Amino acid sequence: MNRLYFAKSNRAALFFAMALLPSGLAYSQVKNDTVEKEKKIDEVVVIGYGKQRKEAVTGSVASVKGDVMREVPSANVSQALQGRVAGVDISQTSSKPGAPMQIRIRGTRSLTADNDPLIVLDGIPFPGSLADISPNDIQSMDILKDASSTAIYGSRGANGVILISTKTGRKRQKATFTYNTYTGITSVFAKYPMMDAQKFIKLRQDAGLFTQYGVDESKNVNTDWQDLMYKNGILTNHDIGISGGTEKGSYNFGMSYYNEQSVLPGQNFERFNIRGSLDQELGKYFRVGMTTNNAYTVNKGSNLGLYNTLSTTPVTNPYNADGSWKERVVMSADTQYVYSRDVIDNLGDAWVDKAIAFSSYNNFFGEFKIPWVQGLTLRTNVGLNFKTTNTGSYTGKGVFSSEPNNLSTASIGNSLTTHWVNENILTFDRTFAEKHKVNVVALQSQEQRTFNSSYITARDIPADQFQFYNLGQAQGEITINPDSQGYYKRGLKSWMGRVMYEYDGRYMFTASIRGDASSVLAPGYQWNIYNAFSAGWNIAKEKFLKDSKVINTMKLRFGYGETSNQAVAPYSTFGRLTTEPYNFGDTYAIGTYVSTLPNSKLGWEFSETLNYGLDFGLFNNRLTGTVEYYTTNTKNLLLDVKLPATSGVGSYTGNVGSTSNKGIEISLNGAIIHNPDGFSWDFGVNFYANKNKITSLSSGATRDVANWWFVGHSINSIYDYQYVGLWQPGDPYMSILEPGDPKSVEGSIKVKYTGGYNADGSPVRAINADDRQILNADPDFQGGFNTRLAYKNFDLSIIGAFKSGGILISTLYGNTSYLNMMNGRRNNVDVDYWTPENTGAYYPRPGSVQSNNNPKYGSTLAYFDASYLKIRTITLGYNFTQGVFKKAGISKLRVYTTVTNPFVFFSPYHKQSGMDPETNSYGNENQAVSDVYPSRFLTIGTNTPSLRNYMIGVNLTF
């Protein structure tokens, strides 16, 4: 059975439906509980350039409190957000410590321009990475999803906006000290499923190709190279903070330290954070303040991969006769460096890979309440940010190489990003006649970002002790590649106006208009003005529902907005010159040629979005939820337009093509049982589905095969053959579709034929490149769930995520990794393959029809149904009663234990491999052949293995 078609019957959907059943119990509880009392406190959400009561919000805004995110102990706050918010897809790009995550809010819109959301930290656009922010520093996150919400941020908010508010003190709060810590052990979730010696020996015999064993191979050896490589890792986090306030001001200061030692030797991530905030009133009308967030990170060993570990045959002996380690081993047709934790740990100065970064993000503000007009305030924000990164690597002579005399190499890289922003905001906020609430905001802003980088490599370093610290001592070639150096400066000028009106808590209306001028677009096309509006109706406050015992909240929302994207590389309008080294006679020379044409009319990429929403609360707000539907149409895509070879130039950047995007989001939260003095049970679930397609490409083309883009199909389409089975003896038309020796073809991969047929029913031709199919990799739907059970001082919480349908690309099983070659040359993934005695297998016969050292059509073996249901964390905690520690001044003490990544269910990939079905690589990395999958695809490759963590933690406040 093809693994791509499990989605419609996948049991994850059944589990999802069953999980919702308990929420129907909400109405059976007694009416005199405390939920209604708790809901009377107005929730406030950050909406950009201000705050608003949640019940008055008309756009699509999702809020997550910091305490909720910290239920998933992690180095990166985006990991804690996975599965928490409908419409926000957070995917793993790497399983290495400290690696960033890919965030997509309501899918993908652009083909080559940036699809990442805007991050706003304490009101200022954030130029850094979420890995720079400690999750302990975050008070809340508010996510703006639709254009009516994001339009106030202009072109920067085209892909959604994530507003991060860090911790602050409160006025008249006594000094409070907090200490939060956790520590734990990390272990491999599952080893890569490689063959052991017995299975590998049989594979070689069945393939009959590499029967001559290498000098270090023996049928009497069974080496598990992964066992020799992995170790248990350790992670530790400490966070301390102090906050408080006076009658006129507040403060908050803190610092944190995070350290994660990988399961791979020499690989770890450290981060130090220092934060601070001050907010002080100066007299009756003035208020000033500042926030600062600083991070220092050290990332080591990120260039360490697992290909050699996995590809070395299990019949290879890594030890000398005296028990010492061999430096390299000789197999049947390959020589491999010996990778083990002992060997790598003993390299000393002979190997180092380090990246050090320091970032500082600062916001200063001044606010003036204009005394002559009640409710009128003028505020000025100034953001001053910078980040510097220094990388260095060194690999000694023969290290990690099959050749002992391979020269040592070293490299250094440096980059500096500086960013400043100034915003001047005039706000009028008044309530008239107790029913008419008016909020008007006017903004003028400007910002600029500057980046420069350099990278140098060298060969033949005279001594390991030099490492990368003095490349001038290199005795070999020192290279400064022009393509590896970088510089840009980009700026944005903007103005914005917004009006929010609310009548009697029942009718809400918001309208905004914004103008942006981007420096990266062509003169005459730099300015763009767009608008947005939204409206809401609180039906539950109407007379006919006011006294309802079932419906407590019912709000309809509608929004329309225009956004623009200018996320192309600076100087795209100028074209590009590329250098190329060559030999001019006996002289080494460097030539320059035009590789990209200029475009004096390069302008904005436009998107229009419609959003429809329903918010509801039922049974004394015991069951609350949101349902939303949206459509987005994007035109004038910023896209590289390919030119014919006769032009002499490859492409230019233009405004061509269009896409459409639509989806539905559902969130439900239920207080199933609520008894603070006894047993309580809360449950929440969200799911969302997003569908996108390309509606046009440049020059009227309907397909761009090189980039796997096809009009009428998803942006995330795969263009490849479709596996339908294996050729069996006696199959009709085998000699026509796959010409050759029938005995060689038997047991090889059969793919779908799309050609014509003769009158007698026989195919008119052999299978060829025209039979490739367009396969949609997007899931049918996905989401997450959480549940919390509490009894007196004990609490148990479970957080999970799920996905149904779609295609998961595992390069481990496809051609590009060279780990499923089915010929016995190197170790092979453990698969059930075809033999004359096992004709019902899924994988081809070893040594059958080959293409580039791999089974023909072996790329089809990389595609799996991407469905899964995953328990991400299980936490058991105990809150000590205050009375026990009151004399010591302790107001809160909680201890807990957490396991992350404990279980995976309903995953075809997990069932096949035992591995985590989450991605860990980009399409063009961690594989032997890197030019098959476009880089936008996330895959499973030979990266650091997925982990399972066991942690204990303490939260202390006094």
Side-chain angles (χ1 to χ4, degrees):
M1 179 180 290
N2 194 323
R3 294 167 295 181
L4 299 182
Y5 297 97
F6 288 3
K8 292 184 179 178
S9 60
N10 195 286
R11 289 176 290 174
L14 177 61
F15 177 91
F16 169 74
M18 293 175 63
L20 290 179
L21 291 179
S23 63
L25 300 174
Y27 191 56
S28 66
Q29 306 302 315
V30 295
K31 297 180 181 178
N32 60 351
D33 56 40
T34 59
V35 176
E36 182 65 22
K37 295 177 181 178
E38 293 174 357
K39 294 291 184 181
K40 289 182 179 179
I41 300 175
D42 286 338
E43 283 191 65
V44 176
V45 297
V46 178
I47 58 171
Y49 305 115
K51 297 180 180 180
Q52 193 174 22
R53 292 180 304 112
K54 186 175 182 179
E55 68 170 15
V57 172
T58 55
S60 181
V61 182
S63 299
V64 183
K65 300 302 181 186
D67 291 341
V68 171
M69 289 183 290
R70 283 184 283 277
E71 291 178 2
V72 181
S74 58
N76 193 322
V77 67
S78 54
Q79 293 173 318
L81 272 179
Q82 277 185 293
R84 281 289 194 179
V85 181
V88 180
D89 179 24
I90 300 178
S91 303
Q92 187 174 254
T93 64
S94 173
S95 42
K96 295 174 183 176
M101 306 284 281
Q102 175 182 279
I103 303 176
R104 294 290 180 264
I105 297 178
R106 293 187 165 180
T108 301
R109 302 166 184 80
S110 186
L111 297 183
T112 56
D114 191 6
N115 283 288
D116 294 332
L118 170 70
I119 310 296
V120 177
L121 180 66
D122 291 323
I124 293 294
F126 180 61
S129 164
L130 285 178
D132 297 332
I133 304 173
S134 169
N136 294 288
D137 297 343
I138 296 176
Q139 183 68 34
S140 66
M141 295 183 69
D142 297 274
I143 301 170
L144 313 182
K145 295 188 288 185
D146 71 325
S148 66
S149 301
T150 65
I152 59 170
Y153 283 103
S155 59
R156 298 169 303 178
N159 302 309
V161 181
I162 298 178
L163 306 174
I164 300 177
S165 301
T166 57
K167 293 178 179 178
T168 61
R170 301 190 308 273
K171 291 182 181 179
R172 295 176 291 279
Q173 172 195 349
K174 68 176 183 179
T176 301
F177 177 84
T178 60
Y179 173 62
N180 302 300
T181 183
Y182 60 83
T183 188
I185 296 174
T186 65
S187 61
V188 175
F189 176 85
K191 293 193 295 186
Y192 285 85
M194 308 305 295
M195 288 184 172
D196 60 15
Q198 182 180 359
K199 293 180 178 179
F200 179 75
I201 290 171
K202 186 176 186 306
L203 175 73
R204 270 193 175 173
Q205 293 172 345
D206 291 335
L209 295 176
F210 294 91
T211 55
Q212 182 67 41
Y213 280 52
V215 296
D216 291 309
E217 293 182 318
S218 169
K219 294 183 179 180
N220 298 320
V221 172
N222 186 10
T223 302
D224 189 327
W225 288 92
Q226 293 184 80
D227 278 349
L228 297 177
M229 187 68 163
Y230 304 148
K231 60 178 182 176
N232 283 334
I234 298 175
L235 58 84
T236 304
N237 184 81
H238 300 280
D239 177 83
I240 60 174
I242 183 170
S243 63
T246 64
E247 289 291 329
K248 294 287 188 178
S250 62
Y251 60 88
N252 181 287
F253 294 95
M255 62 179 63
S256 62
Y257 171 72
Y258 179 88
N259 188 320
E260 182 176 354
Q261 301 285 337
S262 174
V263 295
L264 297 186
Q267 191 176 86
N268 75 289
F269 173 74
E270 283 184 289
R271 183 183 61 217
F272 301 83
N273 288 91
I274 297 177
R275 66 179 182 272
S277 69
L278 286 171
D279 192 324
Q280 183 64 47
E281 292 183 6
L282 302 177
K284 189 175 180 180
Y285 300 110
F286 287 94
R287 176 171 161 243
V288 295
M290 58 84 67
T291 62
T292 181
N293 286 271
N294 306 276
Y296 176 80
T297 61
V298 181
N299 206 328
K300 296 180 180 179
S302 62
N303 66 357
L304 190 63
L306 284 175
Y307 173 75
N308 282 54
T309 300
L310 302 178
S311 62
T312 306
T313 60
V315 295
T316 305
N317 187 351
Y319 301 106
N320 294 307
D322 61 359
S324 61
W325 289 96
K326 296 176 181 176
E327 287 190 356
R328 46 193 58 80
V329 290
V330 179
M331 302 185 298
S332 177
D334 299 278
T335 300
Q336 299 269 53
Y337 189 86
V338 171
Y339 281 79
S340 77
R341 56 181 178 270
D342 290 340
V343 169
I344 293 175
D345 285 340
N346 291 330
L347 285 175
D349 291 337
W351 173 65
V352 63
D353 177 64
K354 182 188 297 186
I356 298 175
F358 176 71
S359 56
S360 182
Y361 308 107
N362 308 279
N363 177 20
F364 304 90
F365 73 87
E367 190 174 279
F368 174 52
K369 292 182 179 180
I370 299 174
W372 308 282
V373 181
Q374 183 182 351
L376 187 62
T377 303
L378 176 64
R379 179 184 174 110
T380 295
N381 294 325
V382 176
L384 301 174
N385 311 303
F386 82 93
K387 181 174 183 176
T388 180
T389 302
N390 305 99
T391 63
S393 66
Y394 172 75
T395 304
K397 182 178 180 180
V399 174
F400 301 153
S401 173
S402 60
E403 297 292 336
N405 293 320
N406 199 40
L407 294 177
S408 59
T409 60
S411 66
I412 57 171
N414 299 283
S415 69
L416 174 65
T417 301
T418 59
H419 172 257
W420 63 262
V421 58
N422 166 240
E423 298 176 331
N424 303 292
I425 308 166
L426 189 65
T427 303
F428 177 74
D429 192 2
R430 285 279 299 275
T431 300
F432 299 94
E434 298 182 354
K435 289 188 176 182
H436 303 272
K437 293 185 178 181
V438 179
N439 179 283
V440 182
V441 175
L443 169 137
Q444 184 274 331
S445 69
Q446 44 272 320
E447 68 173 289
Q448 180 177 284
R449 182 184 303 191
T450 304
F451 170 84
N452 68 277
S453 65
S454 60
Y455 185 75
I456 304 173
T457 62
R459 293 172 60 85
D460 196 9
I461 309 302
D464 288 341
Q465 290 76 9
F466 281 104
Q467 293 190 339
F468 57 82
Y469 293 106
N470 190 345
L471 298 189
Q473 295 289 344
Q475 297 176 354
E477 182 181 9
I478 299 175
T479 303
I480 305 177
N481 186 341
D483 291 336
S484 299
Q485 324 305 313
Y487 169 83
Y488 70 76
K489 181 183 290 187
R490 65 187 305 158
L492 192 71
K493 291 183 178 181
S494 308
W495 56 263
M496 183 272 293
R498 181 183 65 193
V499 177
M500 295 189 296
Y501 172 74
E502 178 185 350
Y503 174 73
D504 197 24
R506 290 183 290 166
Y507 313 112
M508 291 78 65
F509 180 82
T510 300
S512 64
I513 184 170
R514 177 159 180 139
D516 283 335
S518 172
S519 67
V520 301
L521 302 177
Y525 297 85
Q526 293 176 326
W527 274 101
N528 182 47
I529 299 174
Y530 35 90
N531 56 72
F533 67 87
S534 58
W537 178 24
N538 270 333
I539 306 174
K541 291 195 175 185
E542 297 292 350
K543 291 181 180 180
F544 57 86
L545 282 179
K546 196 170 185 180
D547 298 324
S548 173
K549 297 183 181 299
V550 176
I551 300 175
N552 311 109
T553 303
M554 184 71 68
K555 181 173 65 175
L556 285 173
R557 294 182 283 107
F558 169 76
Y560 166 83
E562 301 171 354
T563 58
S564 296
N565 196 340
Q566 44 94 25
V568 293
Y571 318 118
S572 296
T573 59
F574 296 164
R576 182 181 179 88
L577 297 176
T578 300
T579 59
E580 184 72 25
Y582 66 99
N583 291 324
F584 186 73
D586 296 330
T587 305
Y588 175 80
I590 296 179
T592 302
Y593 65 96
V594 178
S595 56
T596 304
L597 287 177
N599 183 357
S600 60
K601 296 183 179 180
L602 185 65
W604 295 84
E605 179 178 293
F606 296 99
S607 293
E608 291 184 328
T609 297
L610 291 173
N611 189 84
Y612 310 86
L614 171 66
D615 304 324
F616 59 87
L618 309 176
F619 315 123
N620 290 327
N621 283 323
R622 300 294 292 273
L623 176 64
T624 61
T626 297
V627 179
E628 296 194 81
Y629 174 77
Y630 62 88
T631 61
T632 300
N633 293 306
T634 303
K635 61 183 180 179
N636 292 343
L637 294 176
L638 292 164
L639 185 64
D640 287 339
V641 181
K642 303 297 182 183
L643 297 174
T646 53
S647 68
V649 181
S651 65
Y652 71 93
T653 302
N655 294 107
V656 294
S658 60
T659 63
S660 69
N661 200 304
K662 62 182 178 180
I664 187 171
E665 302 167 356
I666 299 177
S667 299
L668 295 171
N669 293 281
I672 299 170
I673 301 173
H674 191 86
N675 183 0
D677 298 322
F679 179 73
S680 298
W681 180 15
D682 298 326
F683 187 87
V685 64
N686 73 81
F687 83 88
Y688 57 97
N690 175 272
K691 302 297 179 184
N692 69 72
K693 67 178 179 180
I694 300 171
T695 53
S696 67
L697 289 170
S698 64
S699 304
T702 60
R703 52 176 49 202
D704 182 340
V705 173
N707 290 303
W708 290 4
W709 290 328
F710 304 92
V711 172
H713 295 270
S714 169
I715 297 171
N716 303 311
S717 289
I718 295 170
Y719 190 55
D720 203 350
Y721 299 95
Q722 183 173 325
Y723 176 102
V724 296
L726 302 177
W727 287 107
Q728 305 293 346
D731 275 356
Y733 312 127
M734 180 172 65
S735 60
I736 300 175
L737 294 174
E738 288 293 340
D741 180 6
K743 290 298 181 182
S744 176
V745 175
E746 290 175 3
S748 66
I749 297 172
K750 181 196 296 185
V751 297
K752 185 175 181 178
Y753 170 71
T754 61
Y757 294 87
N758 296 309
D760 61 357
S762 62
V764 299
R765 60 169 174 80
I767 291 173
N768 59 35
D770 293 336
D771 294 303
R772 288 176 292 176
Q773 305 289 301
I774 302 172
L775 308 173
N776 184 2
D778 293 327
D780 297 325
F781 66 84
Q782 58 189 316
F785 61 91
N786 59 87
T787 186
R788 183 179 185 274
L789 299 96
Y791 179 72
K792 295 186 176 180
N793 291 355
F794 288 94
D795 60 80
L796 173 68
S797 63
I798 301 173
I799 300 171
F802 55 84
K803 181 182 291 187
S804 180
I807 298 176
L808 171 67
I809 302 173
S810 173
T811 60
L812 194 69
Y813 287 87
N815 283 356
T816 58
S817 73
Y818 276 47
L819 292 176
N820 199 16
M821 301 170 72
M822 304 298 294
N823 59 20
R825 177 176 176 175
R826 305 186 182 108
N827 197 10
N828 206 91
V829 181
D830 186 4
V831 296
D832 179 29
Y833 56 80
W834 191 98
T835 66
E837 301 75 34
N838 184 33
T839 58
Y842 186 88
Y843 291 87
R845 175 173 57 85
S848 60
V849 183
Q850 297 279 300
S851 175
N852 296 323
N853 297 318
N854 280 285
K856 189 176 183 181
Y857 310 124
S859 59
T860 63
L861 301 175
Y863 308 134
F864 290 78
D865 183 329
S867 301
Y868 66 82
L869 188 152
K870 184 175 183 180
I871 305 298
R872 299 195 59 240
T873 62
I874 301 175
T875 300
L876 176 64
Y878 182 81
N879 296 281
F880 287 89
T881 56
Q882 185 178 350
V884 178
F885 300 96
K886 190 173 182 179
K887 292 183 179 180
I890 297 175
S891 59
K892 176 184 176 182
L893 176 60
R894 182 174 187 267
V895 296
Y896 63 92
T897 179
T898 297
V899 56
T900 67
N901 221 15
F903 305 114
V904 173
F905 304 100
F906 316 125
S907 167
Y909 184 71
H910 177 70
K911 183 178 180 180
Q912 164 73 38
S913 66
M915 295 176 61
D916 190 336
E918 283 199 70
T919 55
N920 66 11
S921 305
Y922 283 108
N924 60 347
E925 64 174 357
N926 296 317
Q927 50 191 302
V929 181
S930 61
D931 60 352
V932 175
Y933 301 110
S935 60
R936 67 180 182 274
F937 283 92
L938 296 180
T939 68
I940 293 180
T942 56
N943 212 330
T944 302
S946 181
L947 303 177
R948 179 180 286 128
N949 303 327
Y950 303 90
M951 294 171 283
I952 59 172
V954 176
N955 302 130
L956 175 66
T957 302
F958 60 85

